[in-house]
Amino acid sequence: MEKILLNDGNEIPAVGFGVFRIPSDGSTYQAVLQALKAGYRHIDTAVAYFNEAEVGRAIADSGIDRKDIFVTSKLWLQDYGYEAAKKGLATSLKKLGLDYVDLYLLHQPYGDVEGAWEALEEGKSKGLIKSIGVSNMTPKLWQKFVPKFKTMPAVNQVEFNPYFQQTELRKLLAPADVKIEAWGPLGQGNSELFSEPIIKQLAEKYHKDAGQVILRFENQLGIIVLPKSTHATRIKSNLDLFDFELTDSEMATMTKLDKGHGSHNPDAPGVEEMLLSAFDVHEND
């Protein structure tokens, strides 16, 4: 597995397995086991996915050394603020059954972001977290919060796919070597994206499927990708990216697919209020 060096000196596998919207009815457990068997060594979950416990159980039952698996989770808005965030991290570790997480993110950029970030910095200093980062931060939100942080985030996990290439954000993050992680790297199954002529042509040329071409494009841009699937064949194929390389001209043509916007706009009016009241992540604690 190819790895990417973060700005804090830690390494992260270039491809991770996302478990967003996979139910905690045994489905997450089975999907993570399949992913680990297929060769994934990077699992991305969150308290707001309500499946941390199944992720942790699959890791424990996989037979793979803990140090060989990169685990990401995320703190939900409900646990923002310094004291609440410390408890939220402890809860995540308990559910995962782990002594530490490799990466812990602020899931949404609203509320007491600064207090929550201070708790993550403390968790890192205590060895409970290896790397810390943020998620869903637009350039506007980044400029609002990050200049107040003592520690630069290692990553910003945002929506990213060929239709939304986050050009402005990438320019902003590059000087501090902050890596972008892509949620929805396949456009959340957008049939229009998969039918793009250039993607179909490249798939035929390289004897790959459209999804592999898309993920390889993102990988060559230096983006950490987090494809999600519950199908064994797709789980395996999404990892099979490293035996071909797009040319500079092919990359340039793919770049032209950018529409400059995605399905989610964290800056939009009402998003903060909607997410703050979305659900209770501790209702079953």
Side-chain angles (χ1 to χ4, degrees):
M1 166 64 72
E2 180 182 301
K3 293 186 177 181
I4 292 175
L5 182 66
L6 300 176
N7 61 12
D8 61 6
N10 294 322
E11 289 186 325
I12 184 170
V15 182
F17 183 73
V19 298
F20 177 53
R21 287 181 176 164
I22 302 182
S24 57
D25 58 1
S27 301
T28 298
Y29 174 78
Q30 290 298 332
V32 173
L33 276 182
Q34 287 181 0
L36 292 171
K37 184 178 180 180
Y40 288 83
R41 292 297 181 267
H42 175 186
I43 308 297
D44 181 277
T45 185
V47 64
Y49 297 172
F50 296 95
N51 55 20
E52 286 176 307
E54 290 200 15
V55 168
R57 193 156 56 87
I59 290 170
D61 291 350
S62 71
I64 301 168
D65 285 347
R66 165 68 186 95
K67 63 180 177 60
D68 295 328
I69 303 176
F70 191 102
V71 181
T72 297
S73 195
K74 310 176 193 75
L75 186 75
W76 188 245
L77 288 162
Q78 187 178 337
D79 292 329
Y80 280 19
Y82 175 68
E83 291 296 338
K86 288 198 295 183
K87 293 178 182 177
L89 170 60
T91 301
S92 280
L93 290 171
K94 182 178 180 181
K95 288 182 177 180
L96 288 162
L98 300 176
D99 296 326
Y100 69 93
V101 285
D102 297 273
L103 177 63
Y104 204 58
L105 307 178
L106 298 185
H107 202 156
Q108 300 289 347
Y110 314 108
D112 188 0
V113 171
E114 294 167 59
W117 187 253
E118 183 182 353
L120 266 59
E121 291 176 323
E122 181 179 298
K124 187 176 189 296
S125 71
K126 291 182 176 181
L128 301 176
I129 312 167
K130 299 294 185 183
S131 296
I132 53 178
V134 296
S135 184
N136 294 303
M137 275 201 180
T138 63
K140 179 180 177 181
L141 289 161
W142 182 274
Q143 296 285 33
K144 177 181 178 180
F145 292 114
V146 176
K148 301 173 186 176
F149 293 173
K150 292 179 181 178
T151 306
M152 180 62 64
V155 306
N156 185 10
Q157 185 179 124
V158 295
E159 181 179 9
F160 191 104
N161 62 74
Y163 281 167
F164 188 28
Q165 296 175 31
Q166 296 279 6
T167 305
E168 183 183 355
L169 184 64
R170 284 157 61 199
K171 289 178 181 177
L172 176 64
L173 302 188
D177 196 26
V178 178
K179 302 302 183 187
I180 286 182
E181 283 191 308
W183 64 255
L186 296 171
Q188 298 175 299
N190 186 332
S191 59
E192 181 185 355
L193 176 62
F194 277 67
S195 299
E196 284 287 348
I198 180 59
I199 292 175
K200 293 172 73 175
Q201 290 166 18
L202 292 173
E204 184 175 352
K205 174 183 175 180
Y206 291 109
H207 306 290
K208 293 291 181 177
D209 61 40
Q212 291 167 322
V213 170
I214 292 168
L215 293 173
R216 183 58 171 158
F217 166 70
E218 294 163 347
N219 169 259
Q220 286 183 223
L221 289 177
I223 306 300
I224 301 156
V225 296
L226 302 169
K228 185 207 86 172
S229 180
T230 55
H231 303 290
T233 54
R234 181 62 63 188
I235 288 172
K236 187 175 181 180
S237 69
N238 283 341
L239 198 61
D240 187 18
L241 311 176
F242 304 107
D243 59 351
F244 74 108
E245 185 172 350
L246 303 179
T247 67
D248 289 346
S249 62
E250 289 165 350
M251 290 290 291
T253 303
M254 287 283 290
T255 299
K256 293 176 183 177
L257 295 175
D258 191 14
K259 297 179 183 292
H261 62 85
S263 62
H264 174 61
N265 179 9
D267 293 327
V271 173
E272 176 175 2
E273 291 74 18
M274 181 271 290
L275 290 172
L276 282 167
S277 60
F279 40 71
D280 179 3
V281 296
H282 298 307
E283 62 182 341
N284 296 318
D285 289 358

